Amino acid sequence: MKLRLPVSLLAALALPASAIAQVAPAPARLPDAALVKAIAGKLAEMGENYSGVVMVARKGQPIATFAQGWADRERKIPNTADTKFRVGSMDKTFTAVAVMQLAQAGKLDVQAPLITYLKDYPNADWARKVTLHHLLTHQGGAGEIFTPEYEARRDRVRTLQDYVDLFGKRAPDFEPGSKDDYSNYGFILLGRVIEAVSGQSYYDYVRAHIFQPAGMTGSGFEPETMPVPGRAVAYEHEKADFTLAGGLPWRGTSAGGGYATAEDFVKFAMALYDGRLLDETHRKQMTTGFVDLGDGMKYGYGIAIYPSPLPIVGHNGGAPAWPATFGSSTAARA
C-alpha cells in the first residue's frame, strides 16, 4: 500500500499548540517559546514522514519557521521558507474573497441565483434555484469534478469554462439549501462568476486584487507543464521508496490547485483583516459560520471557523501528496 508523503506548508498566526502539532487541546495558550519547542519536537518525531514548511507569526512577523525535507529529491534541493507548495483547496478562500470584493463593489449579490451571472448555463432550471451563497457554503448540490469523465479528459480540461462544458448539463446532487456536501464544482462556478462579472480571467483577477495588494509574490496558478522556480516536487512514499506523484489537474482553479509559500499565507491573513482586501462588514460576512460541520467547527464563505479558546479561521487543502493548511487567530493580529 502506498502512502502519500506529506509535502506541505502550514502558515499559522499564533495558534494554540493543539492546532499546530495536533495534540490534545490545552486550557490555555502556550507561551511562544513553549509553542516553538512543541512544534520542533513534533517535526523531529515525524522525521522523513514530514516534508514541508511550518511557519508561526505574530502581527505578520514570523516568530518561528521550520523547513524540513526535500523540495526535489533527485536534485537534492531542500525545502526552505521560500519553497512554493501546491495548496489544494486553500485557494477556495481566495475565491470567496474575490466574490466578496465584487459584492462590496456592488457588482454582484451573493443571494442572487447563478443564472443572474451565467445566463447561458446549460442546466438553467438548477441555475435559477442555486444562489452564490449556496455555492460558497457547499449547499448547492453542485457535485464533484474528479469523476471518470474528468479523468478521461484531464489534460484537455484547462479553463474554468472547460469544466462547465463537461459538467454543466448534469443534475444537482440535491435541492439547493436542503443540505451541505463539499463541492469542488461549486467553486469552479464561482470562478466563472468572477470572470463574467469582472471581465478578467479568474487568474488575472486574483493576481491583481488579492496577491498584489497582500504582497504575495510567491503565489500563482501556472500550469503543471510550466516550470516554476522554487515549486516543490510531489512524491509518494512506499516503504523506503519515493516515487513521483501524479493525478494533479493541468492547472489550479478557483476550487484549488494553485501554489504559495508559507509566508504568503501569513501576508494573506494580515491583508484579510487590515482592510486591504475587504471592509469589515464583508469580512465578517465571509467569516460567519453558516454551516455546522460538527465538533464545534463551522463553515463560512470558503473558510472554516475552528473551535478554540482563541477564534481561528482558516482552510486546509489536499491533493496527491500535498496536504496543507493555514489558520489565523485574532490574538496574532492584536
Side-chain angles (χ1 to χ4, degrees), residues 274-286:
D274 68 12
R276 278 178 285 166
L277 300 182
L278 291 172
D279 63 24
E280 184 177 9
T281 297
H282 289 84
R283 174 182 56 77
K284 285 185 175 180
Q285 184 179 2
M286 177 180 162

Side-chain angles (χ1 to χ4, degrees), residues 158 160 195 201-208 221 251-253:
R158 299 189 172 190
L160 300 186
E195 292 181 331
S201 74
Y202 171 79
Y203 309 105
D204 287 344
Y205 183 93
V206 170
R207 185 181 304 110
F221 292 91
R251 186 179 194 179
T253 69

Side-chain angles (χ1 to χ4, degrees), residues 15-231:
L15 295 178
S18 57
I20 303 268
Q22 297 180 349
V23 298
R29 186 181 56 175
L30 288 177
D32 288 350
L35 174 60
V36 170
K37 183 178 179 180
I39 298 170
K42 184 65 176 181
L43 293 175
E45 177 186 328
M46 295 176 72
E48 276 210 333
N49 289 320
Y50 179 83
S51 180
V53 171
V54 176
M55 180 176 288
V56 185
R58 190 186 301 282
K59 297 182 181 179
Q61 298 301 313
I63 60 174
T65 302
F66 303 86
Q68 182 167 306
W70 299 103
D72 188 324
R73 288 180 171 273
E74 284 69 32
R75 295 191 292 168
K76 300 299 181 186
I77 299 174
N79 286 317
T80 72
D82 297 322
T83 299
K84 301 178 178 73
F85 297 97
R86 295 165 187 81
V87 297
S89 286
M90 290 159 69
D91 290 325
K92 287 182 172 68
T93 307
F94 301 150
T95 301
V97 168
V99 170
M100 297 309 292
Q101 286 177 337
L102 294 170
Q104 180 177 310
K107 296 182 179 181
L108 61 75
D109 179 357
V110 296
Q111 299 299 336
L114 179 66
I115 199 75
T116 306
Y117 308 106
L118 301 186
K119 300 183 184 303
D120 58 351
Y121 190 76
N123 187 341
D125 288 342
W126 177 68
R128 293 188 187 97
K129 298 177 183 177
V130 67
T131 66
L132 304 191
H133 171 87
H134 289 142
L135 298 177
L136 285 161
T137 56
H138 300 289
Q139 297 182 94
E144 192 46 83
I145 58 175
F146 298 112
T147 66
E149 296 85 354
Y150 167 76
E151 294 298 335
R153 301 167 176 80
R154 177 186 294 275
D155 291 337
R156 289 174 284 161
V157 180
R158 299 189 172 190
T159 68
L160 300 186
Q161 184 60 42
D162 287 343
Y163 288 90
V164 176
D165 293 341
L166 184 58
F167 297 118
K169 293 181 181 179
R170 72 181 178 188
D173 289 349
F174 51 83
E175 192 70 13
S178 64
K179 57 184 289 188
D180 63 274
D181 192 28
Y182 195 84
S183 172
N184 283 302
Y185 184 54
F187 272 75
I188 293 287
L189 294 176
L190 291 168
R192 280 292 296 123
V193 169
I194 292 164
E195 292 181 331
V197 173
S198 71
Q200 296 178 274
S201 74
Y202 171 79
Y203 309 105
D204 287 344
Y205 183 93
V206 170
R207 185 181 304 110
H209 296 273
I210 298 177
F211 293 166
Q212 289 180 2
M216 299 168 64
T217 57
S219 300
F221 292 91
E222 273 65 38
E224 291 297 317
T225 54
M226 180 181 296
V228 175
R231 184 164 65 180

